Every structure is written in C-alpha cells, then in structure tokens.
Amino acid sequence: MSKKTAQPALKIIPLGGLHEIGKNTCVFEYDDEILLLDAGLAFPTDSMHGVNIVLPDMTYLRENRHKIKGAIATHGHEDHIGGFAHHLKQFDIPIIYGPRLALSLLADKLEEAGVSKRTKLKTVAPREVVRIGKSFSIEFIRNTHSIADSFTLAITTPVGVVIFTGDFKVDHTPVDGEYFDLHRLAQYGEKGVLCLLSDSTNSEVPGFTPSERSVYPSLDRAFSQAPGRLIVTTFASSVHRLNLVLELAQKHDRYVSAVGRSMLNVIAHARNLGYIKCPDALFKPIHEIRQLPDEKVLILCTGSQGEHMAAVSRIARKEHRQVQIKPGDTVVFSANPIPGNTISVVNTIDALMKQGATVLYGRQQGLHVSGHGCQEDQKLMLSLTRPKFFMPVHGEHRMLVQHCKTAQSLGISPSNMVVVDNGDVVELTQNSIRIADRVPSGIELVDSSRTGMVPDAILKERQQLAEDGVVTVATAIGWDGKLTSHPEVHIRGVVSTLENAQLKQRIVDVVERTLNDRASEFIKVYDGKPEADWVGVQTQLEVQIQRMLRRELQSNPMLVVLLQTPMASVSPSKVKEKVTESPVPVTGRRRQRASARVAS
C-alpha cells in the first residue's frame, strides 16, 4: 500500500512591514503559485543621503517571478501601494485587484513610471470574490480606516481560510457612511478561520481608537479662532480628514487652495470617485487666493511628517515660491508624527513659529486620531474571527509581542502563534504553524538617478562624505620614483585644528617621504627597461596618508588618490584630461580599494 503524498503547506512570507512601520509587503505561496498582498514603501531616514524612498528587498520575487499569479492592494496608502511601480520594472504581475480609490491612485503611478502595460488593474466591490491561480480565492470585506475604500481580506486556500486584516480600526460613525462589515467577519468566524494576520500598529494602546468624526469639534474650534490665514497639513491620502476640513471650510466661508502634488492628486481622484463632495467654487488656485482677505483663506498642504520636500517643510524653510508665513497665520498639524519622524516635525514647527505663525499640534489638541485599532479593536477582531492560529503583522517588535499577549488573553495558545521578521518563511498547515526557513530580506534604496537603485556601498560613501568630508591628492611620479611636480591637494568638508595649508603640507610631506622610503620596492629595472607596480605605489600612498589623517583628525575622511604615471604613448594634454575626469574614490575605512592610474 503506497503512502499518501503529504499536502503542501501554505507559505506566508512577509517582505516588509514587520519590526518597522511602513513598506508593507507580504507573499502567500502555495505549491508553485504566488499571491502578493500589498507592495508598500517607506521614507528615508536622515542618514540616507540622496535617497527618495525605501523598498523591501524583492530578491525572492525576482527569483520566483514565474510563480506570480497576481496581487492585491488592500487600500491606497503609500505604505501599501507605493512600491508597485518600482517592482513592475523588474518583473510582471499579471493582475492587481483592489478598491477603486487605491487603483485610481496606482494607475497614475504606473503610467508615470512607464510600466502600466506590465499588469492589469481590476477594481473590486465589497463582498466580491476573485480567484487568483488555482490556490487562492479572495473575498474583499469592507473595513474602516483613515482612507476611503479599505478592505480586509478572507483568503480561502487549500489548507483553510486566512483572514488578512490590512490596516483597520472599528469606526462606528465613519465619515463616508461606509461601515465595517463585522457581520461578514463573524460569518467566517462561525465557519472556521485557520489563521488571522492582524494589524498591530496600536497594540500597546488600551481602549478603542476614536472615530474619525471625533476630530471635527477640535478642527471647528481651530477654524473659528484663526484670525488670519489658516494652513492645514495632514496626510494627503487621509480622504476622510480632507472631507472634514473641506466641510469646515464651507462652514467658515474660506476658500481652499491645495498645495503639494500628492494633495492635489488625491483630492482630484477622490472627487472624481465621489468620496469628496464639495462645490468647484470652493477651490481657488494659489495665485488667486493670495488676492483674497486673509480670513477667507485656507491652504491645505502636505508635509505633516516633516518630509524635506513637502509643501509645509518648504514653507517653514522659506523655500516655497508661492507661500510665505506672515504674522497672524495659523498652522494646524492634523497628524501625529510617525515613529522616526518626530525630530523633523518638531524642527518644522519651530521654524514656522519663529516666522510668527501660531502652530496647533500635539495629541492634547485633539486634531488627529489614528487610523489603526487599539487593544479593544484588536480584541473585537480576534473575537469575531476566532482563529486557530495567529500571526501579528504591521508593527515594530514590541507591538507584535503585545498583540500576541492580547490574543493569549482571549484564549489563543502561545504555541499557536508566531512573531516573525521580514524574510521569515511561515509554514501553515491545518494542524500547525511554524517558522520553517528564511529568504533574502532587507531594504532597497531608490533615488532620482537613471538606474534608481542606491547600492549599500554608495550609501556608505555618501554617509562618509557627510560625516567626515573628502581629501583628494593628485600626484605625478616619474620612473625614478620621484615627484615630477608638486602634488595637488584638495580638502572639502574636513574639520581640523590645523589650518588648511598646514594639513595640505603634511599630506605632501607624507607623499614625499613614502616615495623616498618605498618607491624602490615597486619600481625596478630589468635589462635596462623600467617596470613599475603602480597599484602598489598607490596603495602605499593611501595607507600612509590615511594613517596621518586618522592621527591628526581623529576621523576618517574619504580619500581619493590620483596618480599620473609615465607612459610616452599619451600626450600631456590627455594626461590632464584623464586626471580631472577619472577620479577613483578610496574610502577612509578602506572598504573599497581601487586604482586610479592615469597614463602620461
């Protein structure tokens, strides 16, 4: 009697969104089929010089692109859809399903990136069921969040039903009147849910998250007390918040000018889809609104997280071409800083206040509520779905751990839950859940260059340049190992107790001493013909100059050494051209060693 073949396990592989906030990306894999849930991005930290966005490491999907059957966008926030355009440059996704607003925003991103032909976008309605491949049947369940048109997913797989909450809170008075479909979740709970993957962002906060509608009185008070212009900054994608602000603008007889590309884009799409309802006459372009009395003006802008290039940040730095702060302005921050953004937000607030603006911010003002459920919301989700297994997602490590404690308080066994990290391969069967393997994980950095990607080595060089500066030494050496001209030394961004001229002279002294002491080791004469190991010469110069710099500066500036070496086949003019155009950097920490050999 032959043994029965064991049923394959469902693999759940988070590539982003765990032990962090942002870049939410998760892979469901069964047999030879892959379903991608969301593809988000995050924003760079201050140390990521020149980086525009941060993406998850997508090596696993690049290597398994032939298995990808489709993807789902749960809602339209950047940390859930912002990565699709970049990933489609590397591999095709046959189809992406999602709500109308999310796919409307995504369509623009794909068109701008030139990858719209590499996938098909298909909008879905609440309770609609779609099949992706042979292994996945997905029902879209309406939930409530800080953006309109947000879904929780019920994913039927060969091993059982998995509920993937996406971002959610339980809002009993939603601004758009679209209620959380708790009834449908309860029906799945009655039938049996194998595993719940649930948003953990506010797992440390007791109670329920207040309704979006609860910020209305505080915003109303801010509007009524503002004597002059009113400048409101919030998340551009918080369509419900934008609705409240526009509703109050009409109430207080203020005209609205939207500033910031993403703000203009979201408002346009939300109005076209009917998520924002207000008359056209409410809006004025920024050049017209400047002609109105201050008490009639509301400027709605991006930058609530202190993003360097966002509108309110540029206004604070006096770099915005169309909006400048003047005494009497009231600036309202209708958002709380995401972890990691606090310093940049505080600096922006300080800069605005120094220019004479009254700035309203902070939790005590009641100008913001979270779009993520707190502990009681999470308990309700667990109670309705009654999962056999539990896996917290979307949050930093302490949030995931606390969410597990909440689940345990509702009777889920610790052995039936896992706390995982990006790249962990979770194997789920009808009777078990376990971490079985790992795939490549980490981050991919994107800037505005032609290739887009920023390798780790380049980022380290940028960090070194920012922290310690750069020293460039150009020197010409003859066959006798002696200098043929005085070395040129350039110093940029280096802090030293020595005068620049003194430091340059010490570098020249090191070059001369090194050549006098060591050149004979690398330049030999065989049968009357000189031969030289110029790489060896350069390496010795690098080592000796770096030692002196570390000793004198107590830092590690980037060192670029350029050699002009004798070869009669190249004219002096070509030598000069090559020396100036082909510098090869050598890092102060010597992580990369490169030759900068130039012929003369």
Side-chain angles (χ1 to χ4, degrees), residues 170 345 375 438 453 540 570 572:
V170 181
V345 171
Q375 289 179 359
R438 275 193 64 79
M453 306 310 292
Q540 279 303 312
V570 182

Side-chain angles (χ1 to χ4, degrees), residues 137-388:
S137 176
I138 303 100
E139 180 172 349
F140 294 81
I141 300 171
R142 171 78 71 193
N143 72 21
T144 45
H145 185 37
S146 56
I147 188 172
D149 233 2
S150 180
F151 285 129
T152 289
L153 309 175
I155 307 168
T156 301
T157 75
V159 301
V161 174
V162 177
I163 300 292
F164 183 84
T165 68
D167 289 354
F168 80 96
K169 70 176 180 181
V170 181
D171 193 335
H172 298 294
T173 56
V175 173
D176 59 3
E178 297 286 351
Y179 294 91
F180 203 137
D181 193 353
L182 300 174
H183 179 66
R184 190 64 181 137
L185 276 178
Q187 288 178 327
Y188 271 101
E190 286 286 340
K191 287 190 252 181
V193 171
L194 180 64
C195 186
L196 173 67
L197 278 67
S198 187
D199 175 17
S200 305
T201 306
N202 278 343
S203 63
E204 297 176 296
V205 184
F208 286 99
T209 300
S211 168
E212 183 69 23
R213 179 65 66 175
S214 67
V215 303
Y216 186 92
S218 298
L219 286 172
D220 191 17
R221 183 171 59 253
F223 276 58
S224 64
Q225 294 176 354
R229 294 189 307 176
L230 193 59
I231 301 173
V232 177
T233 179
T234 188
F235 293 105
S237 55
S238 294
V239 174
H240 298 326
R241 189 70 49 80
L242 298 181
N243 244 328
L244 294 178
V245 170
L246 295 172
E247 184 180 329
L248 285 165
Q250 294 178 75
K251 175 182 176 181
H252 291 273
D253 195 24
R254 288 180 181 263
Y255 291 96
V256 178
S257 182
V259 179
R261 183 181 178 188
S262 58
M263 185 67 73
L264 289 162
N265 191 38
V266 170
I267 289 176
H269 283 291
R271 292 188 73 202
N272 288 338
L273 295 172
Y275 295 114
I276 289 179
K277 297 180 175 69
C278 58
D280 292 342
L282 180 66
F283 294 95
K284 297 281 186 184
I286 192 67
H287 66 271
E288 288 185 19
I289 212 165
R290 286 182 294 180
Q291 310 304 320
L292 297 173
D294 288 351
E295 66 273 10
K296 294 286 188 182
V297 172
L298 167 62
I299 299 172
L300 190 55
C301 33
T302 56
S304 63
Q305 297 304 303
E307 304 96 316
H308 184 74
M309 293 307 295
V312 80
S313 299
R314 288 186 286 127
I315 292 169
R317 296 195 305 271
K318 302 182 183 181
E319 294 176 1
H320 200 283
R321 290 180 300 171
Q322 297 170 306
V323 182
Q324 293 81 39
I325 292 295
K326 55 185 177 180
D329 286 348
T330 300
V331 183
V332 176
F333 276 73
S334 187
N336 291 333
I338 293 171
N341 293 347
T342 303
I343 293 176
S344 56
V345 171
V346 168
N347 289 340
T348 301
I349 291 170
D350 281 350
L352 292 167
M353 294 179 73
K354 287 177 182 178
Q355 295 174 53
T358 298
V359 185
L360 304 179
Y361 64 96
R363 299 179 188 275
Q364 71 279 3
Q365 297 283 350
L367 297 167
H368 176 70
V369 292
S370 176
H372 302 267
C374 296
Q375 289 179 359
E376 296 304 316
D377 301 83
Q378 294 169 353
K379 287 178 183 178
L380 181 57
M381 177 63 71
L382 286 157
S383 298
L384 289 172
T385 56
R386 294 185 285 177
K388 182 176 183 179

Side-chain angles (χ1 to χ4, degrees), residues 33 35 69-72 97 130-138:
E33 295 184 334
L35 166 65
K69 302 301 178 185
I72 290 171
Y97 291 96
V130 302
R131 177 165 286 280
I132 296 180
K134 299 177 298 217
S135 306
F136 305 105
S137 176
I138 303 100

Side-chain angles (χ1 to χ4, degrees), residues 36 47 62 74 82 102 104 140 218 227 311 322 338 341 345 351 389 394 425 450 453 463 512 517 544 546 548 557 595:
L36 179 62
S47 64
R62 287 193 290 268
T74 57
S104 179
F140 294 81
S218 298
Q322 297 170 306
I338 293 171
N341 293 347
V345 171
F389 300 109
H394 300 174
V425 179
R450 182 175 297 178
M453 306 310 292
Q463 290 169 339
E512 292 176 339
D517 294 346
Q544 298 304 323
Q546 241 352 308
M548 187 276 293
S595 297

